Structures are given as C-alpha cells and as structure tokens.
Amino acid sequence: EPEVTQTPSHQVTQMGQEVILRCVPISNHLYFYWYRQILGQKVEFLVSFYNNEISEKSEIFDDQFSVERPDGSNFTLKIRSTKLEDSAMYFCASSGRGQGADEQFFGPGTRLTVL
Amino acid sequence: SQKIEQNSEALNIQEGKTATLTCNYTNYSPAYLQWYRQDPGRGPVFLLLIRENEKEKRKERLKVTFDTTLKQSLFHITASQPADSATYLCAPGTGGFKTIFGAGTRLFVKA
C-alpha cells in the first residue's frame, strides 16, 4: 500500500540554525501539506501546496518557513532560523484531489527538537 | 472566530460498548466534516467524511452523524475493542486547501 514517508524521524538542532524536513508524498497525489503538533497540543495546519505553488498558509507559516518541491518526488519544509518554540512534531500529508473534501494521507512525522 | 470543540476529557469505556464522541463547531458553516484517528507519536489516519447534505454515514463499526442545525457531529464506534483506543480528531471543512483540526478526544477501551 502506498504511503507518505518522512526523513529524518528525529532532528535535533541549535536555536538559530536552519533545518530542512523532507517528505516523499504518495506518487500520484497532487496536493501536499505540512502540519505541526506541539507536544500535547492539537495538529495545526501550516501550508498547502499545489502545482508548484502555495495554495494556502496559516498565520504560523511566516517568513521563517518555506516549502519546495525540488523534484518529482520530494516535498520539503525549511525553517530558516529555528526558535525554541519550533520544537514540535511535523507531519507531511498528501491527497489526490485536494480542495479539503478529500482524504489526506499523513506521514509518520519528524520530531524537531530545538535546543 | 471559528472554533471547534471536542471533549478534552478522556472517554473510558468497557470493551463491547458503544463509544460516542462529540464535535461541536461555532462561527462557520462547514460543507463537510472529517474524522481522523491519531495514535501516540503517529500521524492522523483518515476514517470518514460526511457532507452537509448527509445526515449519517457508516463504515464497518463506525457511524458519523452531522447536524448542521445543532452545529454538531457525533462519532460512534460500536462493539468497541481495546485496539480502538486512540485520539479521535474532527475537522469541519468549508472547502479550500486548509484543514483545521479539533484538539481531539482520547478514547480508552478497557478489556
């Protein structure tokens, strides 16, 4: 069964450093998403991406964040200068049709720890 | 502002009973509502989607209702099993590319 994969599973970084989180969505999906979940809190939408551009983003997704689909398979989230409060689990998801009314498939997540 | 409320208290039930979880929303009119399951340390897994013109939807032991007048969805698991223990998230949606999740309700099913 196809699945979304994410690397690394755990990333530890120093405050102020740049990190890139990587995702490989399901191969025939067209819509891609990033979410984050701070420990003990709810899953929060960050950004959606379609046709090589951002479709929608939340207030959390400020200038420190960027997304890219550098090739036909990877989808990345970059945090330019990490802060302590960026420590969270980051989930990538993909869907076929998008527009919300569609099942999203989530990856296993990357746990980001900022020291 | 848009608000989604799910029971923050955990729900504890005995194996074999029906679990009922509630999702209430305010200040918007979703065209559909999704339910996901999340296990600790894992990503959410899609379970069911119900649209505003559907009163009820079923999938195996799962049943979802959607009452747009009460602004509420109920999620039922019949003949619950310990393996159903997880956090259940609702996500009312209006379309577009942004999915907003409720905080979830933790369900514990005791053998």
Side-chain angles (χ1 to χ4, degrees), chain B residues 13-61:
Chain B
I13 64 166
Q14 203 66 36
E15 183 177 10
K17 300 291 186 187
T18 296
T20 299
L21 287 69
T22 305
C23 175
N24 295 297
Y25 55 90
T26 52
N27 296 328
Y28 67 130
S29 300
Y32 58 88
L33 195 144
Q34 301 184 66
W35 283 89
Y36 284 77
R37 168 187 173 137
Q38 187 177 28
D39 290 285
R42 311 285 294 267
V45 175
F46 174 82
L47 296 174
L48 278 170
L49 180 150
I50 186 166
R51 298 186 187 277
E52 60 180 337
N53 60 348
E54 299 172 311
K55 291 240 183 285
E56 180 180 298
K57 199 130 182 212
R58 291 175 186 259
K59 179 182 173 183
E60 297 171 354
R61 294 184 296 111

Side-chain angles (χ1 to χ4, degrees), chain A residues 31 33 35 37 42-43 45 48 55-56 59 89 91 99-104 106-108, chain B residues 32 34 36 38 41-46 49 51 89 95-103:
Chain A
Y31 302 85
Y33 312 83
Y35 295 84
Q37 187 171 31
K42 67 178 190 173
V43 176
F45 170 83
S48 57
S55 309
E56 204 152 353
E59 312 75 45
M89 190 76 133
F91 293 109
Q99 288 296 325
D102 190 21
E103 174 181 357
Q104 290 182 35
F106 283 75
Chain B
Y32 58 88
Q34 301 184 66
Y36 284 77
Q38 187 177 28
R42 311 285 294 267
V45 175
F46 174 82
L49 180 150
R51 298 186 187 277
L89 315 177
F97 296 95
K98 188 174 179 177
T99 299
I100 305 299
F101 287 94

Side-chain angles (χ1 to χ4, degrees), chain A residues 40-58:
Chain A
Q41 296 187 26
K42 67 178 190 173
V43 176
E44 299 176 288
F45 170 83
L46 292 177
V47 68
S48 57
F49 191 84
Y50 168 69
N51 201 25
N52 276 324
E53 59 182 30
I54 290 173
S55 309
E56 204 152 353
K57 59 183 181 179
S58 71

Side-chain angles (χ1 to χ4, degrees), chain A residues 69-99:
Chain A
R69 187 149 161 85
D71 52 44
S73 59
N74 290 284
F75 179 49
T76 62
L77 174 70
K78 183 194 290 187
I79 310 175
R80 256 179 275 284
S81 177
T82 49
K83 305 177 196 134
L84 295 176
E85 54 265 37
D86 293 327
S87 294
M89 190 76 133
Y90 287 81
F91 293 109
C92 171
S94 69
S95 67
R97 295 187 299 272
Q99 288 296 325

